[in-house]
Amino acid sequence: VNISLHPVTGLGAIVPGDDLGALLAEAMRASNFSLVAGDVVVVCQKVVSKAEGRVVDLTAVTPGERATTFAGEYEKDPALIELVLREATEILRMTGGHLITATGPGFICANAGIDRSNQAGPGEVTLLPCDADLSARVLRETLKAAFGVELAVVVSDTFGRPWRLGQIDVAIGAAGLAVLDDHAGRTDWSGRVLEHTVIAVADQLAAAAGLAMAKGEGVPAVVVRGFHYSEGSVGAAALVRPRDEDLFR
Amino acid sequence: VNISLHPVTGLGAIVPGDDLGALLAEAMRASNFSLVAGDVVVVCQKVVSKAEGRVVDLTAVTPGERATTFAGEYEKDPALIELVLREATEILRMTGGHLITATGPGFICANAGIDRSNQAGPGEVTLLPCDADLSARVLRETLKAAFGVELAVVVSDTFGRPWRLGQIDVAIGAAGLAVLDDHAGRTDWSGRVLEHTVIAVADQLAAAAGLAMAKGEGVPAVVVRGFHYSEGSVGAAALVRPRDEDLFR
């Protein structure tokens, strides 16, 4: 069985209060595309944040002393740094102009996931959804009702990572699928029993969808079809490695 | 344009000295599958290592004192630990039974990428290819000649990562494509200019292919079709973040 990636196009500009799930369903229908049972709809964080009103006008943010100092040192926007410090639950690194933070349920990324690209106005930025797993659950319910099929939803964002250059898309929200897939006891392609391997399925789905979003040409969502996921209900917050099991914090 | 993932099946057991590219071409032809221009063939490390003879019988490895001590402390196989220490160019963490190492051109992963699953015999393990970019180049030449089309090759392996649970597939070798795709100056889906974003395309391709390998049922390679990569010649070694730019080493 092959897996295919279907970009969703034709979604207009999203504004706070929009019913994103309904608009995605409408955009799919407008291009004669219907969801089928087992589809995974990967939706980029940006449109989710905008629909949820997680948009801030930087000109309305008054930077404090810490933000002003750091911003001055590295020629950054003090208002943006202030916002990052407010959104961060923890600062892992604040050096060389880089601000690596924990945010939300413990996701670690640059600038608390605050993004300047694709804003509504020149001074506007998007914050991560307050609870991207909840966002995914809401989107899933809307899309299930719209197409009458079982499906899963992943909310993705583009994160850097240590040790390797470049960014990849990861899951920050998920609903309807097991985000981690434990291969213990399964056999591999030669028929041998695998060692204990747990695949971060939601992250692999986000990265795959990223291939179809990568060119940045109007693809806020991608449908992954033909991937057999397991059911699950814990969400992407379960992908956060517990602090005391993390060798690199 | 949609992207599709085509698992390659029907590859027999691989032994040292096998011409892996020729055997993959044969397996594709046997299932009436032909490569077309622009395909990316993602091949799992395990079969590459086996074809290249990067297989070691643990019973023939004499562990030194450091390996014996660490193995005894955490109930590990001393011979395996010895081999990890030999393959590692650097030990990042050696604690709690975990051995996080740099290996090859600087890839950071557990146990220097040594893998016990899927071995030929009960005491056998596979090491990473000596130069997985060279492996990718050789596979690419063979597959290009076999099908008469331009294509790219990625050699993938399954790595853990800090901060997030579960493993994902990443590129350890690449040929024929730009492993990093710089979006600077491009517009995103709303027509705004993107901030400086560099996507680790080869890693996204590896992760996508991982979806079709994930169930561990005889899928040593996956063809990614319909993804428009840029040409490039630097290989996956270029994905290693330079040490002095890495905030987490």
Side-chain angles (χ1 to χ4, degrees):
Chain A
V1 182
N2 294 345
I3 295 169
S4 54
L5 309 173
H6 306 264
V8 178
T9 54
L11 192 77
I14 299 297
V15 296
D18 275 348
D19 182 342
L20 181 59
L23 292 173
L24 285 170
E26 202 179 285
M28 291 177 199
R29 287 217 173 88
S31 53
N32 294 312
F33 184 84
S34 290
L35 294 179
V36 302
D39 279 350
V40 182
V41 184
V42 183
V43 185
C44 82
Q45 162 270 326
K46 197 72 58 64
V47 289
V48 175
S49 292
K50 293 179 85 169
E52 295 180 0
R54 295 282 285 164
V55 178
V56 172
D57 179 357
L58 284 182
T59 63
V61 175
T62 308
E65 194 183 316
R66 190 181 182 195
T68 306
T69 305
F70 183 79
E73 210 170 325
Y74 298 107
E75 294 179 18
K76 302 278 175 184
D77 181 339
L80 177 64
I81 302 299
E82 174 64 29
L83 208 52
V84 171
L85 295 178
R86 288 183 201 171
E87 285 292 306
T89 54
E90 184 185 338
I91 311 283
L92 276 83
R93 297 288 187 277
M94 189 170 179
T95 177
H98 301 285
L99 244 171
I100 313 297
T101 58
T103 191
F107 296 131
I108 297 176
C109 59
N111 299 327
I114 296 174
D115 209 328
R116 302 191 73 148
S117 62
N118 188 14
Q119 65 272 53
E124 285 195 4
V125 295
T126 57
L127 316 182
L128 294 192
C130 289
D131 179 348
D133 282 328
L134 175 59
S135 311
R137 287 197 298 275
V138 170
L139 286 166
R140 180 171 178 248
E141 289 312 316
T142 306
L143 291 168
K144 273 173 70 172
F147 292 96
V149 294
E150 276 300 323
L151 52 86
V153 168
V154 168
V155 176
S156 72
D157 198 6
T158 309
F159 281 8
R161 61 260 167 94
W163 311 336
R164 297 177 75 84
L165 291 172
Q167 298 179 296
I168 60 170
D169 291 304
V170 298
I172 62 166
L177 82 172
V179 295
L180 291 164
D181 189 12
D182 195 330
H183 286 204
R186 283 202 204 140
T187 53
D188 68 12
W189 66 274
S190 77
R192 307 234 164 222
V193 175
L194 290 170
E195 290 196 334
H196 193 81
T197 300
V198 178
I199 299 294
V201 166
D203 284 337
Q204 303 252 67
L205 285 161
L211 290 176
M213 296 178 177
K215 297 299 178 188
E217 288 162 359
V219 182
V222 171
V223 178
V224 181
R225 179 163 294 169
F227 175 71
H228 299 287
Y229 55 84
S230 305
E231 290 192 21
S233 57
V234 292
L239 289 167
V240 175
R241 190 183 290 274
R243 208 195 159 84
D244 58 358
E245 295 173 20
D246 202 317
L247 301 175
F248 295 93
R249 291 194 62 174
Chain B
V1 183
N2 295 346
I3 295 169
S4 54
L5 309 174
H6 305 264
V8 178
T9 55
L11 193 76
I14 299 297
V15 296
D18 274 348
D19 182 343
L20 181 60
L23 293 173
L24 285 170
E26 201 179 285
M28 291 177 197
R29 288 217 173 89
S31 54
N32 293 312
F33 184 85
S34 289
L35 294 178
V36 302
D39 279 349
V40 182
V41 183
V42 182
V43 185
C44 81
Q45 162 270 326
K46 196 73 56 67
V47 288
V48 175
S49 292
K50 292 178 86 170
E52 294 180 0
R54 293 283 285 164
V55 178
V56 172
D57 179 356
L58 285 182
T59 62
V61 176
T62 307
E65 193 183 317
R66 190 180 182 196
T68 305
T69 304
F70 183 78
E73 210 171 325
Y74 299 107
E75 294 179 17
K76 303 277 175 184
D77 181 339
L80 178 65
I81 303 299
E82 174 65 28
L83 208 53
V84 171
L85 296 177
R86 288 184 199 170
E87 285 293 307
T89 54
E90 184 185 338
I91 311 283
L92 278 84
R93 297 287 187 276
M94 189 172 179
T95 177
H98 301 285
L99 244 171
I100 313 296
T101 57
T103 190
F107 296 131
I108 297 177
C109 59
N111 299 327
I114 296 174
D115 208 328
R116 302 191 73 150
S117 62
N118 189 13
Q119 63 272 51
E124 286 195 5
V125 295
T126 57
L127 316 182
L128 294 191
C130 290
D131 178 347
D133 283 329
L134 176 59
S135 311
R137 287 197 298 277
V138 170
L139 285 167
R140 179 171 179 249
E141 289 312 315
T142 306
L143 291 168
K144 274 174 69 172
F147 292 96
V149 294
E150 276 299 324
L151 51 87
V153 168
V154 168
V155 176
S156 72
D157 198 6
T158 309
F159 280 9
R161 59 261 168 95
W163 311 336
R164 297 176 76 84
L165 292 173
Q167 298 180 296
I168 60 170
D169 291 305
V170 299
I172 63 167
L177 82 172
V179 296
L180 291 163
D181 188 12
D182 196 330
H183 287 204
R186 284 204 201 137
T187 54
D188 68 12
W189 66 274
S190 77
R192 307 230 163 224
V193 175
L194 290 170
E195 291 196 333
H196 192 82
T197 301
V198 179
I199 299 293
V201 166
D203 284 338
Q204 303 253 65
L205 285 161
L211 290 176
M213 295 177 178
K215 297 299 180 187
E217 289 161 357
V219 181
V222 171
V223 178
V224 182
R225 178 163 294 171
F227 176 70
H228 298 288
Y229 55 84
S230 305
E231 290 192 21
S233 57
V234 292
L239 290 167
V240 174
R241 189 183 290 275
R243 208 194 157 83
D244 57 0
E245 295 173 19
D246 202 318
L247 301 175
F248 295 92
R249 291 192 63 172

